[in-house]
């Protein structure tokens, strides 16, 4: 496991707090905003940052994050650029864990070994590839673990107990529980169902479980934090960028305010 992720969850547990894990797409709405936004999110209470790698066919994502990928790709933001952004972020922040989230294709194009080496050097802690099932992940997982990068996997409401076993065996760092059937940005979060399914996952692993999809505001963040180890927020943040694509100050202020309100509600 990556030192930063292990340490982060251990510290949170000691303080009886839960992880706030915001997601943004790197390069959205333009590449110059990504690093300042990462710093602002940490100031607002983020514990871990999920940084999306833009991809032309983001099949697990709803319209909000699809559009974020399109905006980032208009600026030709590549996986190499994302590595450079993390390098810049690490010049002043060496403690906040960073997990790259995206699809396998850019990592394949980069090369597993080359990517893992670059990720280790710039300070990336984990990789979540949405379209890589654990059964097909052996080669990539081996390379990631060689460089102390955590492979992070998704579980969903339809994941069977047998399959949970395979996923927890392949993954490290934390597990990402998708709270809804559907794409990112879906609504209708059922916290009781989340609680039941997180408890079921916990019978098979000691890994922390973060919950994403459907968390939009302080109230939903607080409810999910009560039944999990971390709250993952994506579309609600990306929507702010979509609504103010050319206004950096508004983006920074509104995302900071949203995360601060979530942090406060989660810590109550």
């Amino acid at each position: 496991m990556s030192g930063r992720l292990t340490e982060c969850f251990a510290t949170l547990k000691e303080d009886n707090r839960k992880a706030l894990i915001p997601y943004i797409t790197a390069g959205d709405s333009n590449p110059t905003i990504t690093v300042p936004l990462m710093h602002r999110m940490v100031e607002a209470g983020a514990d871990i940052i999920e940084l999306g790698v833009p991809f032309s066919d983001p099949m697990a994502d709803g319209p909000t994050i699809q559009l974020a990928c399109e905006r980032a790709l208009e600026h030709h933001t590549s996986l190499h650029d994302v590595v450079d952004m993390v390098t810049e972020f690490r010049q002043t922040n060496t403690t906040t864990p960073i997990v790259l989230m995206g699809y396998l294709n850019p990592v394949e194009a980069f090369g597993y070994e080359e990517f893992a080496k670059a990720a280790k050097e710039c300070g990336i802690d984990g990789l979540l590839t949405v379209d890589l099932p654990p059964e097909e992940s052996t080669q990539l997982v081996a390379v990631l673990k060689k460089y102390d990068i955590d492979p992070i996997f998704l579980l969903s409401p339809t994941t069977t107990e047998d399959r949970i076993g395979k996923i927890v065996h392949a993954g490290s760092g934390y597990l990402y529980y998708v709270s809804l059937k559907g794409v990112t940005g879906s609504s209708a979060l059922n916290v009781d169902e989340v609680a039941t399914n997180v408890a079921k996952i916990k019978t098979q692993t000691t890994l922390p479980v973060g919950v994403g999809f459907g968390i939009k505001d302080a109230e939903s963040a607080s409810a999910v934090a009560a039944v999990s180890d971390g709250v993952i927020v994506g579309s609600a943040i990306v929507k702010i960028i979509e609504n103010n694509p050319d206004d950096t100050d508004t983006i920074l202020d509104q995302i900071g305010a949203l995360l601060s309100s979530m942090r406060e509600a989660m810590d109550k």
Side-chain angles (χ1 to χ4, degrees), residues 67-146:
L67 288 168
C69 283
E70 284 179 23
R71 290 190 296 271
L73 290 171
E74 276 169 21
H75 296 278
H76 308 290
T77 309
S78 70
L79 181 51
H80 288 269
D81 296 323
V82 179
V83 167
D84 290 343
M85 290 168 182
V86 177
T87 303
E88 188 186 331
F89 176 80
R90 287 281 179 236
Q91 288 171 3
T92 47
N93 180 320
T94 55
T95 53
T96 304
I98 294 174
V99 172
L100 296 195
M101 181 169 183
Y103 297 81
L104 186 60
N105 188 288
V107 179
E108 292 242 295
F110 200 118
Y112 288 177
E113 188 86 25
E114 293 79 0
F115 164 74
K117 191 168 181 287
K120 174 72 174 171
E121 282 170 5
C122 77
I124 289 164
D125 301 285
L127 176 69
L128 197 167
T129 31
V130 180
D131 55 345
L132 181 67
E135 293 87 347
E136 295 171 23
S137 70
T138 318
Q139 190 189 353
L140 179 56
V141 166
V143 176
L144 292 176
K145 291 195 167 171
K146 177 176 155 187

